[in-house]
Amino acid sequence: MMMQLPETPNQKNSLFNAMNRFIGAVNNMDQTIMVPSLLRDVPLDEDKEVASLKSDMDEGDMYSYYQLLKSIRTDIEWGVRCASVDEGRTRSSSSASTSSTASSASSLSFEEEEEEDDEDLEKQFQFHLTGLQGVLSKLTQQANSLTKRYKKEIGIGGWGQ
């Protein structure tokens, strides 16, 4: 379990803190929802916050979304489970062929290529970092919303929140 650290204003938008907020929200959800089976057959459609982000693959009930949020938390804490080992092998063999092609190029064009690759990597990183922070923010809101919805369903708190 990750310990939540206080955020300084400069760190508010850090990836680490976005992950920490999400994990905290899911932990809170997990501790609040004592009987997850009560979420079965409770449609997402009643909760606009959660329903707006469900995918076509969702079963459409709060229980499946509860399980999804817990699964994402586990992936963040322990690493993403690889779908296929062969996929990684395919990537590394294509990288090897790319690097052998680059080594046969002239040194001047290699340096130019390397600079372009560095710029591309930086842009890709910024793009994906921004996207990941946005997704984590939405998932955090959904975990909080699901917790409130559960409280409402069983008749405790959450009415004025």
Side-chain angles (χ1 to χ4, degrees):
M1 181 153 102
M2 282 180 119
M3 187 175 95
Q4 287 193 327
L5 302 172
E7 294 178 9
T8 65
N10 294 338
Q11 294 175 322
K12 186 174 175 103
N13 294 321
S14 79
L15 177 60
F16 177 76
N17 284 323
M19 290 188 302
N20 216 7
R21 283 189 297 271
F22 169 71
I23 290 170
V26 174
N27 287 343
N28 182 47
M29 175 191 78
D30 207 17
Q31 290 169 0
T32 302
I33 299 175
M34 301 305 257
V35 186
S37 62
L38 290 177
L39 297 172
R40 288 190 192 277
D41 301 325
V42 176
L44 287 171
D45 298 332
E46 292 176 26
D47 194 329
K48 292 176 186 171
E49 263 183 54
V50 175
S52 67
L53 297 171
K54 80 175 187 175
S55 70
D56 296 335
M57 295 175 63
D58 285 336
E59 293 174 21
D61 68 357
M62 297 292 280
Y63 180 78
S64 62
Y65 212 76
Y66 167 82
Q67 295 290 65
L68 174 67
L69 290 167
K70 285 180 54 171
S71 173
I72 292 170
R73 176 193 60 191
T74 301
D75 287 346
I76 289 173
E77 291 178 330
W78 298 99
V80 179
R81 295 175 291 271
C82 294
S84 162
V85 174
D86 292 334
E87 183 179 86
R89 288 184 190 142
T90 304
R91 272 196 217 135
S92 55
S93 66
S94 71
S95 296
S97 66
T98 303
S99 64
S100 66
T101 304
S103 66
S104 64
S106 72
S107 63
L108 181 59
S109 64
F110 178 74
E111 288 173 8
E112 289 171 357
E113 245 179 64
E114 196 173 87
E115 285 179 23
E116 282 181 22
D117 287 346
D118 288 345
E119 284 181 25
D120 287 346
L121 287 175
E122 185 179 3
K123 287 178 185 174
Q124 288 175 12
F125 174 76
Q126 292 298 324
F127 174 78
H128 290 292
L129 181 63
T130 302
L132 182 56
Q133 287 175 320
V135 168
L136 284 168
S137 176
K138 289 177 183 177
L139 289 170
T140 300
Q141 290 172 353
Q142 289 181 348
N144 290 332
S145 177
L146 196 141
T147 302
K148 287 178 189 175
R149 176 86 182 274
Y150 175 82
K151 287 179 177 181
K152 181 180 173 185
E153 290 294 321
I154 64 167
I156 62 166
W159 293 100
Q161 295 176 1

